[in-house]
Amino acid sequence: MTSIVHLLDGACVAILNGYRDGRTKPSELRVSPSGYESVARVKRAEVSRGNPLVLLDLDVVVDHSLEGDKTAITWAGTPEQESQC
């Protein structure tokens, strides 16, 4: 099972590193399929009401190139994506 704590930790590190590198707005949190399921399980009530899956005020999307607790951030206005954490 993928750990929400590890997902959050990785995402926070990636966001802070992005800010330090001069990026301004994270837009998506990319997670592995198992990470997506873990977040969806915790936020089951929100999803059942038709709300999008959101964590840290970012849309959560599946990235099949990621495994386990790895996360990556997509930044608004830039084609580059944060390296995996």
Side-chain angles (χ1 to χ4, degrees):
M1 176 189 272
T2 299
S3 167
I4 295 290
V5 172
H6 291 138
L7 290 174
L8 287 168
D9 187 49
C12 289
V13 168
I15 291 168
L16 288 173
N17 287 340
Y19 286 147
R20 287 185 186 125
D21 291 342
R23 296 184 182 182
T24 58
K25 176 126 177 61
S27 61
E28 288 180 332
L29 171 59
R30 298 185 340 269
V31 299
S32 67
S34 64
Y36 188 90
E37 290 302 319
S38 292
V39 174
R41 190 171 25 262
V42 169
K43 298 186 142 263
R44 181 180 12 225
E46 293 174 42
V47 173
S48 70
R49 290 191 295 266
N51 295 323
L53 194 55
V54 175
L55 193 62
L56 298 174
D57 202 30
L58 300 172
D59 290 332
V60 179
V61 296
V62 173
D63 184 332
H64 292 282
S65 71
L66 299 173
E67 295 180 7
D69 296 338
K70 298 288 185 193
T71 61
I73 301 295
T74 301
W75 293 85
T78 61
E80 308 92 40
Q81 297 175 343
E82 184 67 31
S83 59
Q84 300 175 11
C85 289

